[in-house]
Amino acid sequence: MARNKYPEETVSQILNAALGLFIQKGYEQTSVQDIINELGGLTKGAIYHHFKSKEEIMQAVIDHLFKDVDVMLSAIRDDKKLSGLEKLRAISRASLDNPAQNEVASATPSLLRNPKLLAAQIEHIFQKAAPIHIQPIIEEGMRDGSIRTDYPQELSEVLLVLTNLWLNPAVIEASPEAMLRKVKFFDEILKGLGLDLFDDQMLRRYEELFRLSVRAERKDD
C-alpha cells in the first residue's frame, strides 16, 4: 500500500466532509460510509488509519471548530494596548466579521437537531471560553475601571450564553426582525450594566447574518 505523503490534507478532507454531513443529517444519522462517499476514492481503511471510530472523528471536528476561536480570543485577551472593555468590543467585532460566519449562517445547521454539536458548544463556553478568555478580560476591566461589576464569572458566562445560544438562529429560529429586536434588547441590558459593546455597524452585521440564515432555510424547504 502506497504511503500517504499528505496525511494532514487527508485529515482535513475527512473533517470537512464529516462536519458537512453532521450539519446536514445529524451525528446519529451519519455513518462512516456516508463520510467515505463524500470523499471520492478514499477507502474505509484510510479513514480508520487516522480515526478509530466515528466518535473520534466527531471529537476532532469539534476541536477543529474551536481552534481558530481560541486563537482569536487569546490574541485579544493578551493585547496590552487595550482596556478590558475595548477587548470585549474587539472580540464582538472579530466574531461578527469572521468570513466563516457567512458560511455557517448560510448552512443553517439546526443545533437542536445536532445535540452533540450543541453540547460541544455549551461545554466550550463553560469550560474554556468563559473562564480562560472572557473572565480574565472582565477582571482586567474591573481593575482598569472600564468595566463595573461584582460578578466577573457570572457576567462572562451570561455574555457567551446569550450571544452564542440565545442570539443564534441555529438554536432558536426567528425572523430577522425578531432576532434584531433581541440584539437591541441585549444591547440595552449591557448598557444598563455599563457595557457599551455594540455600534451601528455591528447591528447591521447581525441583521445581515440573520437574513442569510433565513434565506438558506427557505432554500432547504
Side-chain angles (χ1 to χ4, degrees):
M1 181 176 176
R3 186 173 183 180
N4 186 357
K5 296 181 179 179
Y6 307 102
E8 291 183 2
E9 182 177 327
T10 300
V11 169
S12 179
Q13 291 173 351
I14 294 171
L15 296 183
N16 288 334
L19 175 60
L21 288 168
F22 293 156
I23 287 173
Q24 294 167 19
K25 301 177 63 174
Y27 172 80
E28 299 296 341
Q29 287 70 41
T30 298
S31 66
V32 173
Q33 187 60 50
D34 290 330
I35 298 172
I36 292 170
N37 294 341
E38 288 289 309
L39 292 169
L42 199 66
T43 66
K44 184 175 289 189
I47 286 186
Y48 282 118
H49 174 73
H50 296 285
F51 301 102
K52 296 177 181 178
S53 64
K54 187 176 74 169
E55 181 70 30
E56 194 169 293
I57 294 174
M58 181 64 173
Q59 187 57 55
V61 165
I62 291 168
D63 293 342
H64 179 70
L65 279 174
F66 293 125
K67 180 180 178 181
D68 289 343
V69 173
D70 289 335
V71 169
M72 179 271 288
L73 291 174
S74 295
I76 295 175
R77 180 198 61 199
D78 298 336
D79 190 334
K80 303 299 184 183
K81 300 186 296 295
L82 302 178
S83 69
L85 180 57
E86 288 169 339
K87 289 180 180 182
L88 289 183
R89 288 172 178 162
I91 286 173
S92 297
R93 292 193 186 96
S95 298
L96 287 172
D97 291 340
N98 185 347
Q101 289 281 13
N102 284 26
E103 183 178 348
V104 171
S106 298
T108 59
S110 174
L111 292 179
L112 294 181
R113 293 194 294 270
N114 289 275
K116 281 188 175 288
L117 288 175
L118 179 58
Q121 185 164 1
I122 294 171
E123 182 180 34
H124 183 260
I125 287 172
F126 287 99
Q127 293 191 5
K128 198 164 190 180
I132 295 177
H133 297 111
I134 304 302
Q135 185 175 336
I137 289 175
I138 291 174
E139 290 171 345
E140 180 179 351
M142 293 167 64
R143 291 191 297 271
D144 65 33
S146 63
I147 296 174
R148 298 187 304 276
T149 183
D150 294 325
Y151 305 96
Q153 176 182 340
E154 292 77 9
L155 180 56
S156 66
E157 291 174 354
V158 164
L159 284 173
L160 291 176
V161 167
L162 291 182
T163 54
N164 288 282
L165 300 178
W166 190 60
L167 294 179
N168 187 347
V171 179
I172 303 174
E173 295 183 8
S175 68
E177 292 76 19
M179 294 300 294
L180 193 59
R181 281 181 58 86
K182 291 168 70 171
V183 173
K184 291 179 178 178
F185 175 66
F186 182 44
D187 184 38
E188 285 192 13
I189 293 175
L190 294 181
K191 285 178 178 174
L193 295 173
L195 294 176
D196 190 1
L197 292 186
F198 299 134
D199 55 26
D200 290 341
Q201 182 179 351
M202 292 168 66
L203 293 176
R204 288 194 296 270
R205 176 59 174 155
Y206 263 116
E207 185 174 14
E208 177 187 2
L209 292 173
F210 295 152
R211 294 194 182 282
L212 280 173
S213 176
V214 169
R215 283 201 297 270
E217 182 183 349
R218 290 172 179 168
K219 184 178 179 180
D220 290 341
D221 293 341

